């Protein structure tokens, strides 16, 4: 896991300085916290589990990054509604949804018409190796990169051409 995270951040490091980072299905918050530690301006963590969200808060305090992070303890789609109402947009959106539930597809379909995603937004999806992304173009995105590991993969996508 640490090697995968290191590889991921080596690939996106140049995009992080001053970035607004959205970490969906955050878990312990490790990805968003790493983004903050590498220069992201702010990170919004979305996690529905109260226990995991408390862990994110503790990790933000421990790393002294709490002032740059916001934890939304709610369902991803409720959080996206809230962020849209607030007029937020993000430089980087990372998601690591539970595998096999097509949540990545539902999130990207939701975001396809949203001002949260601009032509410059980098979207990164962590998924099982078996997850099919053949629908990506139909949803209004293009794959810019794919990095396959032993058990999973990262898909890098953007809007438009």
């Amino acid at each position: 896991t640490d090697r995968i995270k290191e590889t991921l951040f080596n690939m996106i490091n140049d995009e992080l300085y001053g970035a607004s980072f959205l970490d969906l299905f955050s878990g312990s918050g490790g990805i968003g916290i790493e983004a903050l530690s590498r220069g992201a301006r702010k990170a919004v963590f979305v996690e529905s589990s109260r226990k995991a969200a408390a862990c994110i808060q503790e990790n933000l305090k421990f790393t002294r990054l709490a002032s740059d992070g916001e934890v939304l303890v709610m369902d991803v789609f409720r959080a996206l509604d809230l962020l849209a109402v607030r007029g937020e947009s993000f430089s980087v959106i990372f998601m690591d949804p539970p595998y096999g539930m097509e949540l990545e597809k539902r999130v990207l379909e939701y975001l396809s018409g949203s001002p949260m995603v601009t032509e410059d937004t980098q979207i990164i999806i962590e998924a099982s190796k078996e997850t099919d992304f053949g629908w990506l173009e139909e949803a209004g995105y293009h794959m810019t990169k794919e990095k396959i590991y032993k058990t999973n993969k990262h898909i890098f996508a953007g809007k438009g051409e």
Side-chain angles (χ1 to χ4, degrees):
T1 327
D2 285 343
R3 185 174 287 152
I4 290 172
K5 186 165 80 170
E6 187 66 29
T7 300
L8 169 66
F9 279 96
N10 286 340
M11 293 172 79
I12 65 168
N13 204 47
D14 293 345
E15 299 166 45
L16 289 176
Y17 186 77
S20 52
F21 195 95
L22 178 58
D23 186 353
L24 300 174
F25 310 96
S26 298
S28 66
I31 297 294
I33 290 171
E34 185 72 21
L36 287 171
S37 74
R38 291 181 182 233
R41 174 175 45 86
K42 72 171 186 175
V44 176
F45 301 83
V46 178
E47 177 53 56
S48 61
S49 161
R50 290 196 181 287
K51 189 174 180 181
C55 179
I56 296 168
Q57 293 284 18
E58 286 302 312
N59 289 337
L60 283 167
K61 284 178 195 159
F62 179 76
T63 55
R64 296 189 172 105
L65 295 167
S67 63
D68 301 322
E70 178 183 9
V71 182
L72 300 177
V73 188
M74 60 184 69
D75 168 80
V76 162
F77 296 99
R78 281 192 47 230
L80 292 174
D81 285 343
L82 173 66
L83 294 168
V85 167
R86 289 185 354 194
E88 301 265 4
S89 67
F90 295 93
S91 317
V92 181
I93 298 174
F94 177 85
M95 70 179 95
D96 182 10
Y99 295 171
M101 297 173 66
E102 293 195 349
L103 286 166
E104 60 279 342
K105 184 176 184 179
R106 289 181 50 211
V107 169
L108 287 176
E109 285 170 348
Y110 178 100
L111 290 173
S112 68
S114 171
M116 277 186 278
V117 179
T118 70
E119 295 291 322
D120 298 323
T121 301
Q122 173 72 64
I123 300 168
I124 305 157
I125 306 117
E126 188 166 310
S128 71
K129 275 174 52 172
E130 297 75 33
T131 304
D132 177 28
F133 284 89
W135 51 268
L136 208 54
E137 277 191 36
E138 193 176 298
Y141 300 92
H142 64 283
M143 188 185 306
T144 57
K145 267 184 253 177
E146 178 180 40
K147 179 69 177 164
I148 299 173
Y149 308 99
K150 279 185 184 171
T151 58
N152 63 359
K153 63 184 173 182
H154 283 133
I155 301 294
F156 297 79
K159 265 179 119 174
E161 298 304 312

